[in-house]
Amino acid sequence: MGESEKIWSISEVNGCVREIIENSLLPIWVGGEVGNLNIHRSGHVYMTLKDARTQIRAVFFGGADQARRMNLQAGMAVEAYGKLTVYEARGEYQISLKSIRPLGLGELQRKFEELKSKLASEGLFDQERKKTLPLLPGRIGVVTSPGGAAIRDFLQIINRRFPNINIKIYPAAVQGKGAEKKLAAGIEFFNRSCPVDVIVLTRGGGSLEDLWPFNEEVLARAVAVSGIPVISAVGHEIDFTISDFVADLRAPTPSAAAELVIGRQEEFSETLEYHKRRMRHSLELTYSKLSRRFEAAAKSYVFREPLHLLREKQQKLDELSRNMESSAVSLLDEHRRKLEELSRNLKDCSRNTRNQLNTRLEQLSGRLYAMSPAAVLQRGYAVITDPETGKVVRSPKVPAGKNLTALVAEGILNISAVDGKEIDFAKSGFPDLNAPTGKSG
C-alpha cells in the first residue's frame, strides 16, 4: 500500500454516500405494500415498504396521528411521498416520508379536484345562492345512518340545548357503493314529502374512501337544488367534501352541526325576556308621552270653547270669499278694458289697410288700362284681322280684294285689301310697331 493511499473510516463512507444520495434525488412518490410496521409512542412511524421483489425502509416523523386515522396496517397497499436519506449509524438508506395515503387515493383526489372545479364553474359554490338558516327551526330533518355515532352525538347535543324539538331522521347508508344515491334520496324526500325547516347531512369521520359518497356529483346536485337550507357535517374538522362546498353551511363535525342548527333554549328565553323588557319600557314611555299630550290638549282653549274655533274658521272662510269676489271683479274689468283697446286698434288697423289697398288698386288699374289694347286704339291705331281665321294680320302680303276687319277705338270697319308691299319703317319715317322699345305716334 502506497503512502498516498487514504484509509476511509466507515463514518466517512456513510457520510459520503448520504451526501450523494440526498443531494442527487428530489422527493418522490413510491407505491408498495406495508411490511413491518411500528407506530412508536414518540409519535414517529417506522415501517418497510415492499413489492414482489424487494423492499425499502421508511420513517414518518410525527406521522402517528395520520397513521391511526387511516388505520394503517401491515399488508395495506399505500402511496408514500418522501426523500431518500441515509441512516449513517447503520449504513442503511431509507425514505423519510412527508405524507402517506392508501393506494389509489391519488386518483380519488384527482376526481375530487375535477368535480370541485366543474361545480365551482357552474356557480354551485357561490355565496349568493346560499340560503339563510332559520333562527328557530320548528322541525329538523337529518339524513344519516341511524346506527352511527354521528346521529347519537347530534341528538345528545340537541336534547341538551333544546329538549323536545321535532327531529325527523331519514335512514341512509353513509359509505360504500351506491350510498350517494340514498343520501340524495333523503334530501329529495324532505323537499318533496316531509317539509322541514332545515336539513342536516351528516356522518362521522373516516378515510377518503369512506367519505367518498359525499364527493359524488349526484349528491352535490341534490343539495344544490334543495329548496330547504342544508347543513353539511361530514367527518372531522380537517375533512372537506364536495357536499361541504355546495351546502348552505358547513359544520366541522356532527356535534358542531347540532350547535349551529339551533341555539340553547335558555339563550332564546333570555333573548325573549330581554326584548319583552324593552318592549314594556317602550310602551310605558309611549303611554307617558301620550298621556301628557292628552292632558295638555284637554286644557287648551280649543277643547274648552269648540264653537269659538268653528266661528273663527267661518269668519276666515267669509273673508276668503270676499277677497275672491273682489279679485274676480277686478280681473274681469281689466280684461274688458284690454278687449276694448284691442277692438279699437283692430278697427284703426283695418281702416288704414283698406285705404292703402284702395290706393294701390287705383294705381294698378291705371297702369293696367294704359297697357290694355283699348288704350292703344284710343291713340288712333287699328287692329286688322282676318274674319275667316280670326287671326291678326301682320303682313301686307294679303290677296287683293280679300275682305278684312279693322278694329278701331269706336267700332269695327269692314275693309278690302289692295296690293300691298312691305314698308321699311326706318326709312319711311313711321314708327316700327314691332320694335319692343318703340313709342306710339
Side-chain angles (χ1 to χ4, degrees), residues 56 71 85 106 116-117 120 135 179 189 231 247 282 322 363 385:
I56 186 174
N71 195 23
T85 61
K116 180 182 176 183
S117 177
L135 178 64
F189 170 77
I231 298 177
S282 178
R322 288 194 301 271
Q363 293 174 351
T385 61

Side-chain angles (χ1 to χ4, degrees), residues 134-150:
L135 178 64
L136 181 59
R139 178 182 292 182
I140 301 172
V142 183
V143 181
T144 190
S145 171

Side-chain angles (χ1 to χ4, degrees), residues 41 43 58 65 82 102 125 136 154 165 167 169 181 192 222 265 320 333 377 391 402 404 435:
R41 62 177 179 273
D65 290 340
F125 301 164
L136 181 59
F154 182 85
I165 196 166
I167 298 178
I169 300 175
K181 296 180 180 179
R192 182 183 64 254
Q265 189 174 28
L320 290 174
D333 291 341
L377 294 179
K391 294 182 178 181
K402 181 175 177 61
L404 299 174

